[in-house]
């Protein structure tokens, strides 16, 4: 069963009728379509819910959405579709940033978290772990996307699509535009309250963290990985991919997630110590 429901002006795509719901939140420069391969697989066992982040859809008004506004939209969506049950979060890129913050504000609504390629990206530890060249690379692409948002129009779209192509983004070009760059504008210009109020992400529910190793820099620190893997039931799995493991190796990604997902039901408290899977998955 597939249906579309509108919540807070956002089209919510719902597939499957499982007892548990997976809420999938994408990042830049993507839309809800990024999770196609996951929905095709998981909908036979789970209720899959996905949507395009506020402001990312080219057909919606161009505006800056503050951290509070974005998390509030996620809350509206989850409240509308949760059926008064906890949900599983599957997050990628900016979807991790916003999804982690949603969890920190609404712990009672989440049963498990699957984070993809973004850990403690904005922490002091992560920044310190990068070389000068890596820091320059991060600031360069973020500032360029911020500039593209400020320019807007055809030129802003051209800059955004060029950067997306340079970074190897798999999204279809027609869905990419400068309107989805507002998080970078907030980050670099300090607009809309900036992201200074982001809470340190400290998950108390089971977490699976998957990340690609074929990137010029990581979006997590080693100390964060150690903290996550120390909790029983958590798992960390590196993939031999770039920033989009779920797109580059969908079959492997889906299997890893499916093999892990039963854990939350079997061990809801997940206290104590645990270990990570250290081998890189080649798919």
């Amino acid at each position: 069963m597939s249906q579309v429901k509108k919540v807070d002006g956002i089209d919510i795509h719902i597939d499957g009728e499982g007892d548990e719901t997976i809420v999938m939140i994408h990042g830049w420069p993507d839309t809800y379509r990024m999770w196609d391969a996951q929905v095709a697989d998981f909908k036979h066992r789970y209720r899959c819910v996905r949507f395009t982040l506020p402001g990312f859809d080219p057909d919606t008004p161009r505006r800056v959405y503050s951290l509070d506004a974005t998390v509030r939209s996620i809350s509206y969506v989850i409240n509308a579709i949760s059926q008064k049950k906890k949900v599983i979060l599957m997050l990628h890129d900016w979807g991790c940033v916003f999804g982690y913050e949603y969890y920190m504000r609404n712990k009672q609504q989440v049963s498990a978290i699957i984070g993809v390629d973004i850990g403690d990206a904005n922490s002091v530890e992560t920044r310190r772990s990068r070389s000068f060249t890596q820091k320059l690379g991060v600031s360069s692409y973020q500032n360029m996307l911020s500039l593209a948002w400020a320019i807007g129009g055809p030129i802003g779209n051209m800059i955004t699509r060029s950067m997306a192509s340079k970074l190897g983004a798999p999204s279809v070009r027609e869905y990419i535009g400068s309107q989805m760059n507002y998080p970078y504008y907030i980050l670099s210009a300090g607009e809309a309250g900036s992201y200074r109020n982001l809470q340190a992400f400290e998950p108390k529910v089971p977490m699976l963290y998957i990340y690609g190793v074929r990137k010029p820099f990581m979006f997590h620190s080693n100390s964060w990985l150690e903290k996550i893997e120390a909790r029983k039931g958590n798992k960390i799995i590196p993939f031999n991919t770039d920033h989009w493991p779920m797109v580059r190796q969908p079959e492997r990604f889906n299997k890893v997630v499916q093999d892990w997902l039963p854990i939350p039901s079997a061990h809801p408290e997940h206290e104590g110590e645990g270990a990570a899977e250290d081998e890189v998955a080649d798919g």
Side-chain angles (χ1 to χ4, degrees), residues 64 192 195 210 214 251:
V64 169
Y195 290 124
I210 296 172
R214 296 209 314 262
E251 292 182 2

Side-chain angles (χ1 to χ4, degrees), residues 209-277:
Y209 181 62
I210 296 172
Y211 67 96
V213 300
R214 296 209 314 262
K215 306 191 301 287
F217 38 78
M218 297 295 157
F219 296 100
H220 59 253
S221 64
N222 288 333
S223 61
W224 184 82
L225 290 182
E226 292 170 358
K227 184 184 296 185
I228 295 300
E229 72 179 1
R231 193 170 179 84
K232 183 179 180 181
N234 289 358
K235 183 169 281 191
I236 297 172
I237 303 184
F239 269 48
N240 188 24
T241 68
D242 60 7
H243 185 52
W244 290 268
M246 78 293 288
V247 176
R248 308 308 186 192
Q249 296 181 2
E251 292 182 2
R252 172 65 181 175
F253 180 92
N254 294 350
K255 184 178 186 305
V256 166
V257 172
Q258 289 173 23
D259 288 347
W260 177 82
L261 272 176
I263 292 177
S265 298
H267 305 286
E269 68 286 343
H270 281 261
E271 298 298 333
E273 301 298 313
E277 180 174 321

Side-chain angles (χ1 to χ4, degrees), residues 6-41:
K6 190 173 287 291
V7 176
D8 194 34
I10 300 172
D11 288 336
I12 312 304
H13 301 261
I14 305 172
D15 295 88
E17 298 179 327
D19 292 332
E20 292 186 274
T21 298
I22 303 177
V23 177
M24 304 172 176
I25 308 179
H26 67 86
W28 182 94
D30 306 310
T31 66
Y32 75 93
R33 302 170 184 84
M34 204 248 329
W35 301 108
D36 283 350
Q38 284 63 58
V39 171
D41 200 343

Side-chain angles (χ1 to χ4, degrees), residues 2-278:
S2 179
Q3 60 178 305
V4 178
K5 181 176 183 179
K6 190 173 287 291
V7 176
D8 194 34
I10 300 172
D11 288 336
I12 312 304
H13 301 261
I14 305 172
D15 295 88
E17 298 179 327
D19 292 332
E20 292 186 274
T21 298
I22 303 177
V23 177
M24 304 172 176
I25 308 179
H26 67 86
W28 182 94
D30 306 310
T31 66
Y32 75 93
R33 302 170 184 84
M34 204 248 329
W35 301 108
D36 283 350
Q38 284 63 58
V39 171
D41 200 343
F42 293 125
K43 69 180 181 180
H44 303 295
R45 289 167 293 278
Y46 298 91
R47 188 162 166 261
C48 300
V49 174
R50 54 187 173 148
F51 57 95
T52 297
L53 282 169
F56 275 53
D57 191 323
D59 294 328
T60 58
R62 181 179 182 272
R63 55 163 283 195
V64 169
Y65 289 81
S66 68
L67 175 63
D68 287 345
T70 305
V71 174
R72 187 164 54 247
S73 290
I74 294 172
S75 296
Y76 289 155
V77 170
I78 292 178
N79 290 341
I81 57 84
S82 66
Q83 300 175 333
K84 297 183 179 181
K85 297 179 181 179
K86 293 184 178 183
V87 301
I88 300 165
L89 296 180
M90 182 179 289
L91 315 168
H92 176 249
D93 193 71
W94 278 101
C96 287
V97 177
F98 302 135
Y100 293 164
E101 183 68 15
Y102 169 82
Y103 164 75
M104 294 302 296
R105 300 184 187 188
N106 302 273
K107 296 185 179 70
Q108 74 284 356
Q109 298 282 13
V110 179
S111 63
I113 298 172
I114 301 154
V116 186
D117 218 64
I118 299 291
D120 59 333
N122 293 321
S123 71
V124 173
E125 290 79 11
T126 296
R127 290 195 294 269
R128 286 176 176 171
S129 69
R130 291 173 178 155
S131 67
F132 174 78
T133 301
Q134 290 172 329
K135 291 176 181 176
L136 184 62
V138 172
S139 63
S140 294
Y141 88 82
Q142 292 182 347
N143 289 336
M144 185 60 69
L145 293 175
S146 173
L147 177 62
W149 191 94
I151 294 173
I155 295 177
N157 289 340
M158 180 186 67
I159 295 173
T160 303
R161 290 168 180 171
S162 176
M163 182 58 68
S165 176
K166 183 177 181 180
L167 295 175
S171 288
V172 178
R173 180 181 176 86
E174 66 182 281
Y175 300 126
I176 299 175
S178 64
Q179 80 285 342
M180 58 175 54
N181 295 349
Y182 69 83
Y184 296 103
Y185 182 71
I186 291 175
L187 196 65
S188 63
E191 293 293 321
S194 188
Y195 290 124
R196 289 186 295 270
N197 292 330
L198 275 170
Q199 300 181 56
F201 176 53
E202 298 180 356
K204 301 301 182 183
V205 295
M207 180 171 185
L208 169 64
Y209 181 62
I210 296 172
Y211 67 96
V213 300
R214 296 209 314 262
K215 306 191 301 287
F217 38 78
M218 297 295 157
F219 296 100
H220 59 253
S221 64
N222 288 333
S223 61
W224 184 82
L225 290 182
E226 292 170 358
K227 184 184 296 185
I228 295 300
E229 72 179 1
R231 193 170 179 84
K232 183 179 180 181
N234 289 358
K235 183 169 281 191
I236 297 172
I237 303 184
F239 269 48
N240 188 24
T241 68
D242 60 7
H243 185 52
W244 290 268
M246 78 293 288
V247 176
R248 308 308 186 192
Q249 296 181 2
E251 292 182 2
R252 172 65 181 175
F253 180 92
N254 294 350
K255 184 178 186 305
V256 166
V257 172
Q258 289 173 23
D259 288 347
W260 177 82
L261 272 176
I263 292 177
S265 298
H267 305 286
E269 68 286 343
H270 281 261
E271 298 298 333
E273 301 298 313
E277 180 174 321
D278 296 322

